[in-house]
Amino acid sequence: MTLWNFTNRNGDFVFTNPEKISRLYFPLANEAEFMSSITPELKGDIKTGQNHFLLQPVTTEDLYSTAAGRNFWVCLSPALYWPLNGTQISDQQYVTTTMRAGILWQTITRIHKEIGLQAEITNFVPVSGEHVELMSVKITNISARAITFTPTSAIPIFGRSADNLRDHRHVTSLLNRVKLSPNGIIVTPEMSFDERGHKINHVSYFILGCDENGEPPIGQFPTIESFIGEGGSLFSPRAVTENYAPLKKIRPIHHGKETIGALRFKSKTLIPDESITYIFMLGIAEHKKTINSCFKKFNNKEKLKCALTENIDYWKKKIDLISFCTGNNTMDNWLRWVTLQPVLRKIFGCSFLPDFDYGRGGKGWRDLWQDCLTLLLAHPQQTRDILIANFSGIRIDGTNATIITKKPGYFIADRNKIARVWMDHGIWPFFTLHLYIHQTGDFDVLFAKKNYFYDQQLSRAQEIDHQWNPHHKHSKHLHTKDGHIYHGTILEHILVQHLVQFFNVGKHNIIRLEDADWNDGLDMAKENGESVAFTCFYARNLYEITMLLLELKKKKKRKTILLAKELLILLDRLHRRPLDYNSVMGKKALLKRYFNSVRRRISGKKVAVQIDDLIIDLSQKWQWLFEHVRRKEWISLNKNSGLFNGYYNNKGKRVEGKINNSVRMTLTGQVFPILNGIASKKQIALIYRAACKYLKDKKLGGFRLNTNFKDPHFDLGRAFAFAYGEKENGAIFSHMCVMFANALYQRNFVKEGYSVLKSLCDLATNTKTSKIYPCLPEYFNLEGRGMYSYLTGSASWYIMTMLTEVFGIKGHFGDLVIEPKLTSEQFSDSDTVSVSCYFAERRLSIVIQNPQRLDFGKYKIDKVKINPDAIPFTRVSGAKLKITRKELSSLTKHSPTTIEITLA
């Protein structure tokens, strides 16, 4: 059951009385990284980063407890007034609320039947790049009589760093200097308070307003004290209830106080059906001179209308880069919001929406690469420079910086200055680059050169370089022994990440878990923990690197590549005495030898390695890993089900299997053997049955991240101290569920994969249960409520899976391959589905007709028609075709090409 309904095919929706659902918030932003969150009651915050919040920072728990927000009071008499944010309890029996919203705009309409007024409040952030949120308040007389009222805005200004919410809250308010402009209030703190070193402040925070014709307010109440009055509150401000006269000028007593954008407008009489609109600009300015130009740009009704139209058109074009027509209108519209989510992650990072009450902005290493996925699928050429720059975050020991700055290619070791290593981080750069190469056919990117990141962490954070000077000009770059910054190819960076990990094993000859893998909650098994799950992923990457080298050799006629001399230590099959891979001690000794060779500085010498020799070395490594996991980690539960063990804990014991007369199972432990080709077809069927029995929530439909281990398991990680069903302890975790679906599709378990994808869409759009706006949240808890909306890497994976697996539109070393994997269920309402996307910088519309509504495996591609320009294609198999990049390049870039496919 849904509480909101889509109203068109652009993702717009309508929601009646949304304030009756707790914890709802909506994102507003532009790509200049001006970020807002807003609730149906107009609460939420506005910021440009951790140190500059216009409105008070809020977490989800604050949304139902704070009185601060974007309010607007209508006073009809001393005893009759209406706060348009809907927070006055006495009004609720008379007020109905309707929310209309689309991609990054929100309109709240409230009708007060007793008073006879309708308020329509629209908020959005202009795409033109200003650091301002625009808000319009349209008041209409819906009664049969004339109504006179006095309007006053009430928007408290926080105006400083989020740190100051608990760190010197009062002291930092003493820094405030207030200026009344003809149209509002401007607050410029004298300095940025930081006991480590104060800084002179030049940033201003402003609330400006006017009516629809540009007429200014008649006065202001610049401070919280002057607005609420002694004994008053934001719920009952005496400036409104007792009709205080507004100020005309600032006095010394108004400086050094908590401030508010409380603007009083002249009283207005509306006859029946008449309306008036008030316009507000809520902004942050690095230079005061930009404030006036911002006001002039949006200071009347027509200008605001044009800005909103521009916004709607801009975001529609952005979302249209990849758009689906599945025959299910709800899913199609929901997918538009999921397509938006990677863009929101790029803007907000992982910290700046109410659920994300941790961190200080920015994003992590894993986010950096996975958020590129949807952009790669649309315009891969635009990501080339970004991808290359990102490789400079890799250390020569195979680890990486974990915090990304806003400037591409510049990194910080860790947000909390704690030496930590996530063992899965080495897989994501190649995984992303591999997709890029398939989409573009660009092999040259492998030989672009980048530096290596350097800081005090050595040997995968097992040692510290006490001589490291962070203040040295090039301290964050690896140097050679003669003092030069060392540069290696992108291919060399990839090899470093994978070769190091091959030898970085625990006592079961599985790659060490270190401080955690993808599951951040597995963070208490540093000494003896091992991750079978991501050993599988490293194994698959080694296989794919081998295939890439074979293709490189064939297409580019290369015979050798240059590598750092020290890397030859890890290419043991080039040695006279290659290592026995069954020897854990041998692997550790060889890795230590490598770490010693690259400690602090490297020689700078490079060696030409035969590609054939490199292929032999890597092949033996991935083959050994595949066989080792298959032989050692498969657990048969009974003749109908089985699973792979995914982890070893800090006691060196298996985490999964039959333990104490119950089955312990993680979804992660199953996804990666399937995804990476280690599980056999028979094993996949057994795994899926086990997952349905032990992990699938019978009521909600989704797959949980793990069974209930019951005890805290401090020998594995903090996750198991969480309540079961929350976050990393048994939630329906969207990211791993989508990876599960992707894995099943890749192995041609199409019905099973579709059921997993559909379960997430069904749960997200069943808003009576999920209680969220349209999006794919990070997870669904034990009750099915969606948690941590919008900023999740699962969105990129969902869109990638829909495009490359469900519709089967993907690259193969630059050529276009189309292999749709569709079920008969997807044609239940129509015999036609379609997707619009880009490939080779050409706009394509792929239309797939299935008149007999056949399942995957029972159909083949019967007919193909390409318009307007017919170009050759090759049938690779019955249900798969290929169009070369050369043929695609003959298509026009100026109009879309339609490829019509009929299945039979």
Side-chain angles (χ1 to χ4, degrees):
M1 178 182 176
T2 182
L3 300 176
W4 42 256
N5 293 288
F6 291 113
T7 58
N8 53 27
R9 291 194 54 80
N10 295 325
D12 297 356
F13 64 94
V14 62
F15 194 158
T16 302
N17 295 321
E19 69 275 10
K20 292 185 178 180
I21 301 297
S22 302
R23 306 171 69 96
L24 286 175
Y25 60 82
F26 192 78
L28 302 173
N30 61 23
E31 292 186 293
E33 296 187 359
F34 188 81
M35 301 167 282
S36 298
S37 61
I38 189 168
T39 74
E41 294 176 326
L42 309 180
K43 299 175 183 179
D45 55 31
I46 299 174
K47 61 269 165 184
T48 56
Q50 174 73 9
N51 296 319
H52 300 293
F53 274 76
L54 172 64
L55 304 189
Q56 180 174 309
V58 295
T59 69
T60 309
E61 299 304 318
D62 298 315
L63 297 179
Y64 50 76
S65 60
T66 184
R70 308 156 179 84
N71 205 353
F72 189 93
W73 291 82
V74 172
C75 183
L76 293 88
S77 72
L80 186 58
Y81 40 86
W82 182 29
L84 302 190
N85 65 0
T87 56
Q88 191 157 303
I89 296 174
S90 61
D91 286 333
Q92 290 180 1
Q93 61 180 314
Y94 306 112
V95 177
T96 58
T97 303
T98 302
M99 175 184 179
R100 290 181 294 111
I103 304 296
L104 302 188
W105 61 268
Q106 170 184 291
T107 296
I108 296 291
T109 301
R110 287 196 169 89
I111 296 175
H112 198 303
K113 292 172 283 188
E114 184 74 8
I115 292 175
L117 290 177
Q118 172 182 290
E120 186 178 285
I121 306 160
T122 298
N123 293 73
F124 65 98
V125 174
V127 294
S128 44
E130 291 80 10
H131 279 184
V132 65
E133 180 186 309
L134 302 177
M135 175 175 173
S136 69
V137 180
K138 180 182 178 182
I139 300 173
T140 304
N141 182 352
I142 58 172
S143 74
R145 67 187 189 284
I147 298 177
T148 301
F149 60 87
T150 302
T152 309
S153 68
I155 307 171
I157 297 172
F158 186 71
R160 49 201 186 270
S161 170
D163 296 338
N164 301 131
L165 194 60
R166 279 285 301 146
D167 183 6
H168 295 86
R169 172 73 187 259
H170 174 252
V171 169
T172 51
S173 73
L174 302 179
L175 304 172
N176 286 341
R177 299 297 182 268
V178 183
K179 176 185 176 182
L180 298 186
S181 82
N183 291 94
I185 179 171
I186 301 170
V187 180
T188 310
E190 287 285 356
M191 70 179 190
S192 177
F193 185 93
D194 188 338
E195 290 182 310
R196 294 167 296 182
H198 305 307
K199 296 178 181 178
I200 297 173
N201 173 64
H202 301 287
V203 176
S204 297
Y205 306 86
F206 61 90
I207 307 291
L208 304 180
C210 61
D211 70 13
E212 60 190 35
N213 299 311
E215 289 296 313
I218 59 173
Q220 297 100 328
F221 303 94
T223 66
I224 296 286
E225 288 181 2
S226 66
F227 179 65
I228 67 173
E230 202 67 42
S233 70
L234 289 172
F235 290 112
S236 182
R238 296 181 69 184
V240 174
T241 61
E242 299 180 23
N243 197 23
Y244 285 0
L247 300 180
K248 301 293 185 181
K249 63 180 182 178
I250 289 293
R251 295 189 292 164
I253 61 169
H254 297 121
H255 296 302
K257 301 284 179 67
E258 295 285 358
T259 57
I260 186 170
L263 315 183
R264 169 66 56 78
F265 292 87
K266 65 183 179 181
S267 297
K268 177 67 177 179
T269 299
L270 295 177
I271 62 174
D273 297 324
E274 187 182 9
S275 301
I276 185 168
T277 299
Y278 299 92
I279 298 165
F280 297 94
M281 286 146 244
L282 294 65
I284 301 173
E286 292 187 10
H287 306 286
K288 286 184 179 179
K289 63 182 180 181
T290 63
I291 297 174
N292 190 49
S293 60
C294 179
F295 177 77
K296 289 181 178 178
K297 186 170 182 177
F298 303 111
N299 65 348
N300 67 45
K301 188 166 62 174
E302 288 306 313
K303 292 177 181 179
L304 202 70
K305 182 179 178 181
C306 288
L308 180 57
T309 300
E310 183 183 10
N311 257 48
I312 292 170
D313 292 345
Y314 177 88
W315 290 113
K316 181 180 183 302
K317 185 178 179 181
K318 195 91 171 175
I319 303 306
D320 280 345
L321 290 175
I322 302 174
S323 60
F324 301 93
C325 183
T326 65
N328 181 325
N329 185 61
T330 296
M331 187 175 197
D332 293 346
N333 275 287
W334 177 75
L335 283 169
R336 293 185 70 79
W337 287 94
V338 179
T339 304
L340 174 70
Q341 287 181 229
V343 180
L344 293 177
R345 268 256 288 226
K346 183 179 178 183
I347 296 169
F348 283 86
C350 299
S351 301
F352 291 131
L353 284 175
D355 270 324
F356 299 82
D357 52 359
Y358 52 84
R360 302 174 60 82
K363 60 174 67 173
W365 181 257
R366 203 179 297 120
D367 313 323
L368 178 71
W369 299 95
Q370 293 190 87
D371 289 351
C372 288
L373 296 178
T374 49
L375 182 57
L376 276 173
L377 296 171
H379 292 300
Q381 294 292 357
Q382 296 178 13
T383 67
R384 189 182 199 272
D385 291 343
I386 297 171
L387 289 175
I388 292 171
N390 291 347
F391 275 90
S392 62
I394 297 170
R395 296 188 185 94
I396 196 67
D397 65 359
T399 63
N400 52 270
T402 53
I403 299 299
I404 290 80
T405 66
K406 290 185 178 181
K407 188 175 181 181
Y410 286 78
F411 300 91
I412 301 170
D414 189 79
R415 66 162 56 92
N416 298 318
K417 298 184 180 178
I418 301 170
R420 290 188 289 188
V421 173
W422 283 263
M423 65 81 63
D424 69 302
H425 279 188
I427 66 171
W428 303 113
F430 176 70
F431 178 82
T432 309
L433 186 76
H434 191 230
L435 176 62
Y436 166 81
I437 292 172
H438 273 309
Q439 292 295 107
T440 63
D442 178 10
F443 288 90
D444 293 337
V445 70
L446 292 167
F447 301 99
K449 293 184 178 181
K450 287 304 295 181
N451 61 281
Y452 286 85
F453 182 73
Y454 191 86
D455 61 1
Q456 74 272 25
Q457 296 186 31
L458 300 173
S459 306
R460 298 188 72 85
Q462 295 176 52
E463 298 180 68
I464 298 294
D465 180 3
H466 295 289
Q467 300 177 39
W468 181 64
N469 179 5
H471 304 295
H472 187 275
K473 183 178 180 182
H474 298 295
S475 65
K476 292 183 180 178
H477 297 153
L478 175 69
H479 285 70
T480 62
K481 290 178 179 177
D482 59 6
H484 295 103
I485 296 174
Y486 177 75
H487 293 84
T489 63
I490 298 301
L491 178 57
E492 182 186 278
H493 284 68
I494 290 166
L495 290 171
V496 165
Q497 289 185 300
H498 289 80
L499 292 172
V500 165
Q501 285 295 71
F502 179 79
F503 296 99
N504 183 28
V505 296
K507 73 176 186 178
H508 299 93
N509 220 335
I510 295 295
I511 298 174
R512 294 175 57 234
L513 180 57
E514 297 174 301
D515 293 295
D517 62 9
W518 167 89
N519 187 337
D520 293 339
L522 306 184
D523 59 349
M524 298 174 72
K526 183 174 183 177
E527 292 79 16
N528 300 307
E530 297 167 70
S531 175
V532 180
F534 282 91
T535 295
C536 295
F537 214 143
Y538 278 105
R540 171 64 178 269
N541 275 7
L542 284 167
Y543 165 81
E544 294 294 356
I545 295 167
T546 305
M547 297 301 105
L548 190 60
L549 290 170
L550 286 168
E551 196 73 16
L552 178 69
K553 180 184 171 185
K554 182 173 73 174
K555 288 194 173 181
K556 296 294 184 178
K557 309 299 182 185
R558 291 186 73 106
K559 295 183 178 181
T560 63
I561 58 171
L562 288 176
L563 297 175
K565 178 183 177 182
E566 291 81 356
L567 206 56
L568 295 183
I569 296 170
L570 303 177
L571 295 171
D572 68 291
R573 271 18 189 184
L574 278 60
H575 302 176
R576 290 182 180 177
R577 295 182 179 178
L579 189 69
D580 176 6
Y581 289 161
N582 293 310
S583 171
V584 171
M585 296 306 295
K587 283 183 175 179
K588 289 184 174 182
L590 188 144
L591 184 60
K592 185 175 181 180
R593 182 178 153 209
Y594 172 74
F595 285 159
N596 287 337
S597 74
V598 297
R599 196 173 186 276
R600 297 193 67 240
R601 296 192 175 197
I602 66 171
S603 67
K605 295 178 182 179
K606 297 195 177 186
V607 178
V609 175
Q610 294 287 326
I611 287 184
D612 285 340
D613 290 341
L614 185 56
I615 288 170
I616 290 170
D617 183 278
L618 298 181
S619 293
Q620 293 191 28
K621 286 179 168 63
W622 71 256
Q623 287 169 7
W624 185 90
L625 286 170
F626 271 52
E627 181 58 28
H628 182 72
V629 173
R630 285 169 176 163
R631 187 163 41 89
K632 296 288 187 179
E633 303 303 336
W634 174 252
I635 300 167
S636 178
L637 298 176
N638 53 52
K639 66 178 182 179
N640 294 317
S641 64
L643 56 84
F644 278 93
N645 173 51
Y647 294 95
Y648 289 92
N649 65 21
N650 214 31
K651 293 177 181 176
K653 295 181 178 179
R654 270 185 172 174
V655 170
E656 297 181 65
K658 291 181 180 178
I659 300 172
N660 297 329
N661 297 316
S662 65
V663 172
R664 290 181 183 168
M665 183 179 186
T666 72
L667 187 58
T668 312
Q670 315 320 309
V671 165
F672 292 105
I674 298 172
L675 179 68
N676 297 299
I678 289 173
S680 68
K681 293 276 187 180
K682 181 179 178 181
Q683 287 172 329
I684 295 170
L686 297 174
I687 289 169
Y688 188 75
R689 288 194 199 105
C692 287
K693 181 175 181 179
Y694 297 109
L695 297 176
K696 189 171 185 178
D697 188 297
K698 304 304 184 288
K699 180 181 178 182
L700 301 174
F703 288 83
R704 298 203 168 275
L705 198 53
N706 53 270
T707 55
N708 191 347
F709 287 18
K710 297 182 180 178
D711 301 324
H713 289 274
F714 295 130
D715 52 11
L716 187 55
R718 68 175 188 245
F720 298 98
F722 299 155
Y724 183 70
E726 295 288 346
K727 222 164 169 41
E728 290 100 341
N729 186 18
I732 298 174
F733 214 90
S734 297
H735 204 158
M736 195 50 62
C737 285
V738 178
M739 286 183 174
F740 188 32
N742 186 281
L744 291 166
Y745 269 104
Q746 285 200 38
R747 304 299 300 278
N748 289 336
F749 282 72
V750 172
K751 282 188 176 181
E752 294 83 351
Y754 178 66
S755 73
V756 178
L757 284 182
K758 189 172 183 295
S759 71
L760 290 174
C761 177
D762 289 348
L763 187 49
T765 55
N766 178 8
T767 48
K768 190 172 183 180
T769 299
S770 65
K771 299 178 173 62
I772 53 174
Y773 293 139
C775 73
L776 180 62
E778 181 182 276
Y779 73 91
F780 300 90
N781 67 14
L782 209 56
E783 303 164 289
R785 181 188 283 269
M787 304 292 290
Y788 292 73
S789 291
Y790 302 109
L791 309 183
T792 165
S794 57
S796 288
W797 272 80
Y798 202 107
I799 297 304
M800 180 179 72
T801 302
M802 285 293 298
L803 183 65
T804 64
E805 294 299 329
V806 179
F807 282 86
I809 314 300
K810 63 178 73 173
H812 181 74
F813 297 121
D815 296 335
L816 172 64
V817 173
I818 304 177
E819 185 186 14
K821 297 179 180 179
L822 299 160
T823 69
S824 59
E825 182 183 346
Q826 290 170 275
F827 295 94
S828 58
D829 296 324
S830 169
D831 65 2
T832 302
V833 297
S834 65
V835 60
S836 294
C837 61
Y838 280 84
F839 194 90
E841 301 301 313
R842 269 69 178 175
R843 182 69 170 168
L844 303 177
S845 177
I846 292 95
V847 180
I848 302 170
Q849 296 175 325
N850 186 359
Q852 299 176 57
R853 292 169 167 80
L854 299 173
D855 268 319
F856 175 78
K858 296 182 179 179
Y859 61 69
K860 64 179 182 179
I861 294 176
D862 184 43
K863 298 176 184 176
V864 179
K865 185 177 181 182
I866 302 175
N867 292 312
D869 302 313
I871 55 173
F873 61 88
T874 304
R875 292 182 187 273
V876 179
S877 64
K880 184 176 180 180
L881 62 86
K882 181 174 79 172
I883 304 174
T884 67
R885 195 169 194 85
K886 181 179 179 181
E887 298 296 346
L888 286 167
S889 65
S890 67
L891 298 174
T892 178
K893 290 185 177 182
H894 305 296
S895 58
T897 294
T898 299
I899 302 175
E900 296 180 8
I901 297 171
T902 302
L903 306 177

